[in-house]
Amino acid sequence: GATLDERIDLIVGSAEQLRQRVERFAAFYELLPEASRDTELRERLMTYYEGWYAWAREVLVPAGADGERRARRAATIGQFASILLDGIFMQMVVAAPGFDLEAALRDARRTLSYLLDRG
């Protein structure tokens, strides 16, 4: 029964939540370069992302939503959300000069809202 904005907020989170996630997942980001060389690690990371996609799909398509097309679209947008947020996380990890976290989060919410409204 959550609104679209509430569901998007759950996925995107606040600036403070993102800072906490980056701290919790710092080791994960250190492992990413190794994943290109280690098959077992790459498979584990793929499993992690598949779980992320499944969760995002559940958040973006509320229970009782009609249509397989809508569910597929939400799954695709969930995958896009992970790409979008990973990019924001990486900007925070490397402390890119001039990176505006608040603006990035605002734009992420707008983008997801736009894509979901177009479905």
Side-chain angles (χ1 to χ4, degrees), residues 91-103:
Q91 292 294 315
M92 294 172 69
V93 167
V94 300
F99 178 67
D100 185 343
L101 176 59
E102 293 294 340

Side-chain angles (χ1 to χ4, degrees), residues 3-119:
T3 67
L4 178 61
D5 287 342
E6 290 169 336
R7 290 182 280 132
I8 288 172
D9 281 344
L10 181 61
I11 290 200
V12 174
S14 67
E16 184 55 35
Q17 288 171 324
L18 254 64
R19 285 186 189 98
Q20 291 171 5
R21 288 178 196 165
V22 166
E23 287 176 18
R24 281 196 324 263
F25 288 100
F28 173 81
Y29 290 103
E30 290 177 22
L31 288 174
L32 286 178
E34 297 302 319
S36 67
R37 295 181 285 275
D38 185 315
T39 302
E40 184 179 334
L41 179 58
R42 186 172 48 254
E43 289 174 4
R44 287 178 182 232
L45 291 177
M46 286 186 333
T47 300
Y48 167 78
Y49 273 97
E50 288 169 2
W52 202 105
Y53 299 156
W55 175 77
R57 182 181 60 244
E58 290 175 23
V59 169
L60 296 174
V61 178
D66 57 339
E68 185 178 324
R69 181 177 178 271
R70 183 169 163 78
R72 280 195 316 267
R73 180 147 174 82
T76 301
I77 293 172
Q79 291 174 2
F80 174 73
S82 77
I83 294 166
L84 186 66
L85 293 175
D86 272 354
I88 292 173
F89 290 167
M90 288 306 296
Q91 292 294 315
M92 294 172 69
V93 167
V94 300
F99 178 67
D100 185 343
L101 176 59
E102 293 294 340
L105 294 177
R106 188 173 49 250
D107 290 343
R109 283 187 183 87
R110 282 187 196 142
T111 300
L112 292 173
S113 180
Y114 173 80
L115 291 172
L116 288 162
D117 279 341
R118 308 290 295 177

